[in-house]
Amino acid sequence: MSSTSRGRVSVCMATYNGERFVAEQIASILPQLSAQDELVVVDDASTDSTVAVVEDLAAQDPRIRLTARADNRGYVRTFEEALSLASGDLLLLSDQDDVWTPDHVEVLASALEDAEVAATNLGTLGGPEAIRGPYGQADWHLRASGSRRAWRNVLGVLAGNRPYYGCAMGVRAEALGRGLAPFPTFLGESHDLWIALYGNLRRSMRHCPERTVLRRFHESNQTPNRPRGVRAALGSRLLLVRCITELRRRGL
């Protein structure tokens, strides 16, 4: 797919104390972008040299747009701000510490031709091809056949067995005005599941079987890779029910 036919791409990245990994992630993104595309980086008041690293890269590539906040608001609000600053037709979310495969943009852009939300699968960086699920699943991935099973996917999100990861997701810009934005004030985590619920309730979700994000496992990962305690799990389920209620209130 040519850059002209797919529309303008905005990669939306949230950073916080990512000095060790952010340059490698950006290096995997920029070759996939055309001259008209952009990488929107919002830094959540890092206390290390993350901002300096991104500023140095931006000085070499005008497609990088950096907003450095003085106050720390958490990753959900940071991603929300990055999405709001994006000017592209297709908005692809990016963590600071993964590596994209060379076909990541192409796969998501193609999927977003006929869907408002699309998601690919994860592999691991320097590890096995498939990632394990939070309950020990040996191969934790989305299947293309599940793209149209909207309510099954919604129930799967509630049950914790749908591997939607924000770092492997993209949305069409018009989704922001159709109910995706603003994020609800109660959303303190799981922005990726908010986006996935929106896509499924809109019946405009596309699962891509490809593994286009190589996840780096380290001590600061925001997404847990092991089961939560009972109280935390119940709190998470309640949050998702509130998300569904809010999306229905918005007309979905």
Side-chain angles (χ1 to χ4, degrees):
M1 177 187 299
S2 70
S3 59
T4 303
S5 62
R6 64 167 163 75
R8 190 172 186 225
V9 169
S10 293
V11 178
C12 302
M13 177 186 289
T15 62
Y16 176 71
N17 288 354
E19 62 180 3
R20 290 184 293 168
F21 310 125
V22 68
E24 184 178 4
Q25 170 67 315
I26 290 176
S28 75
I29 293 171
L30 292 178
Q32 302 185 49
L33 303 183
S34 71
Q36 67 174 349
D37 298 334
E38 63 181 358
L39 169 57
V40 178
V41 181
V42 177
D43 184 80
D44 195 25
S46 289
T47 57
D48 66 0
S49 64
T50 300
V51 170
V53 171
V54 177
E55 284 178 336
D56 286 346
L57 295 171
Q60 304 170 46
D61 195 319
R63 295 175 297 178
I64 302 174
R65 296 171 49 208
L66 171 66
T67 298
R69 283 207 307 255
D71 59 318
N72 182 275
R73 298 178 60 199
Y75 70 93
V76 171
R77 299 305 152 197
T78 306
F79 274 116
E80 182 177 28
E81 182 172 352
L83 288 169
S84 72
L85 293 173
S87 59
D89 307 297
L90 310 178
L91 315 180
L92 311 186
L93 279 69
S94 170
D95 285 351
Q96 65 184 359
D97 47 5
D98 300 319
V99 170
W100 284 6
T101 63
D103 61 344
H104 181 81
V105 170
E106 181 180 358
V107 168
L108 280 177
S110 179
L112 289 169
E113 285 190 54
D114 58 3
E116 289 186 44
V117 181
T120 68
N121 287 296
L122 306 188
T124 66
L125 190 60
E129 178 184 14
I131 67 167
R132 298 187 69 86
Y135 299 98
Q137 299 94 324
D139 190 359
W140 185 235
H141 69 284
L142 295 170
R143 294 173 172 81
S145 60
S147 297
R148 307 300 182 187
R149 298 170 181 170
W151 278 105
R152 183 178 295 184
N153 291 329
V154 169
L155 294 175
V157 169
L158 289 174
N161 65 0
R162 283 297 183 277
Y164 291 118
Y165 290 94
C167 61
M169 299 178 76
V171 303
R172 295 198 63 86
E174 55 261 34
L176 299 181
R178 291 176 176 169
L180 184 61
F183 291 175
T185 56
F186 61 76
L187 193 70
E189 61 177 41
S190 300
H191 67 292
D192 42 11
L193 299 183
W194 166 258
I195 295 171
L197 288 169
Y198 168 88
N200 280 295
L201 290 174
R202 279 280 297 174
R203 297 187 180 276
S204 190
M205 183 79 204
R206 177 82 175 272
H207 295 175
C208 305
E210 297 88 346
R211 301 183 190 279
T212 68
V213 175
L214 303 180
R215 188 181 185 197
R216 188 193 307 270
F217 288 93
H218 57 87
E219 69 281 359
S220 300
N221 285 130
Q222 291 289 344
T223 303
N225 61 351
R226 63 188 61 183
R228 296 179 168 188
V230 174
R231 179 174 295 182
L234 289 175
S236 177
R237 299 288 84 74
L238 177 60
L239 174 70
L240 295 173
V241 170
R242 293 184 70 187
C243 287
I244 294 170
T245 301
E246 174 62 19
L247 287 166
R248 299 297 283 176
R249 187 190 68 80
R250 295 184 186 191
L252 276 71

